[in-house]
Amino acid sequence: AANILREHKSNIDGIHSQVGLILQTESETVGQTGARLTCAAFGRVVTARLMGEGYEGKALRALERQIIEAATHRLVFLVGMEANQVGFEIRSLQEFMAAEALTDETDAIVSDRLNSTAPIANWRNVFLFAAGKCFAVRQHLRDSVLTICITLNEQTDDEVSRRTFVGSQLALDLLVD
């Protein structure tokens, strides 16, 4: 596993991010706070990543098998949880990885994704991680984060959200974070 991690760090990071995003999405389902991926679904994520990086044929299958095997024993943040399933032991790691996947795109797409996730309570920590990356690494997106907070206060169709200043609460969460 150490050789795989050393030699394929960018692929491992990308796989972690995609799995985090998938599991975060699945955790929105009622009763799915501890979302897990089957080994078959995890294999599809691994295959898609490796094919996207140009692997094919025997090299693809060999590396795919090594990564899946490493994940069932422990692949950095991913662990084999139950029979034929992988996931994150710590929810915050899943949320961090989901944020990495959200922010691994063009500025316009990242802004759209931030706008989409900001008002969703289940995505609050993901949003905070993504906004933190904008402030630390993609500083030109800072205004987008500020605009989201303002817009949540002004243009929400939800009377309760408008009266409770959801955007201001989000801004306070950002400051605390």
Side-chain angles (χ1 to χ4, degrees), residues 20-21 24-25 27 91-92 94-103 114 117 120-132:
L21 186 60
Q24 185 65 26
T25 302
S27 71
R91 172 76 182 222
S92 293
Q94 173 184 304
E95 294 166 338
F96 176 80
M97 289 301 168
E100 286 293 305
L102 289 180
T103 57
L114 290 173
T117 58
I120 305 170
N122 191 55
W123 287 77
R124 177 57 52 97
N125 287 337
V126 175
F127 179 86
L128 293 174
F129 281 126

Side-chain angles (χ1 to χ4, degrees), residues 15 56 96 112 123 161 167:
I15 290 165
E56 55 187 29
F96 176 80
D112 286 345
W123 287 77
S161 295

Side-chain angles (χ1 to χ4, degrees), residues 92-156:
S92 293
L93 293 175
Q94 173 184 304
E95 294 166 338
F96 176 80
M97 289 301 168
E100 286 293 305
L102 289 180
T103 57
D104 188 25
E105 268 297 342
T106 65
D107 292 346
I109 292 173
V110 171
S111 290
D112 286 345
R113 289 174 174 177
L114 290 173
N115 275 307
S116 297
T117 58
I120 305 170
N122 191 55
W123 287 77
R124 177 57 52 97
N125 287 337
V126 175
F127 179 86
L128 293 174
F129 281 126
K133 185 171 184 176
C134 290
F135 274 77
V137 179
R138 299 179 81 166
Q139 296 175 355
H140 55 281
L141 291 176
R142 288 178 178 175
D143 286 341
S144 295
V145 175
L146 175 62
T147 301
I148 289 168
C149 294
I150 293 168
T151 302
L152 283 174
N153 279 345
E154 295 174 349
Q155 297 181 345
T156 182

Side-chain angles (χ1 to χ4, degrees), residues 48-79:
R49 170 64 189 208
L50 296 177
M51 288 177 71
E53 294 297 311
Y55 288 89
E56 55 187 29
K58 291 180 181 179
L60 169 68
R61 298 297 167 223
L63 185 55
E64 176 188 42
R65 187 176 53 255
Q66 291 173 339
I67 290 173
I68 291 170
E69 184 178 314
T72 58
H73 293 98
R74 181 162 192 104
L75 182 64
V76 186
F77 301 132
L78 289 172
V79 294

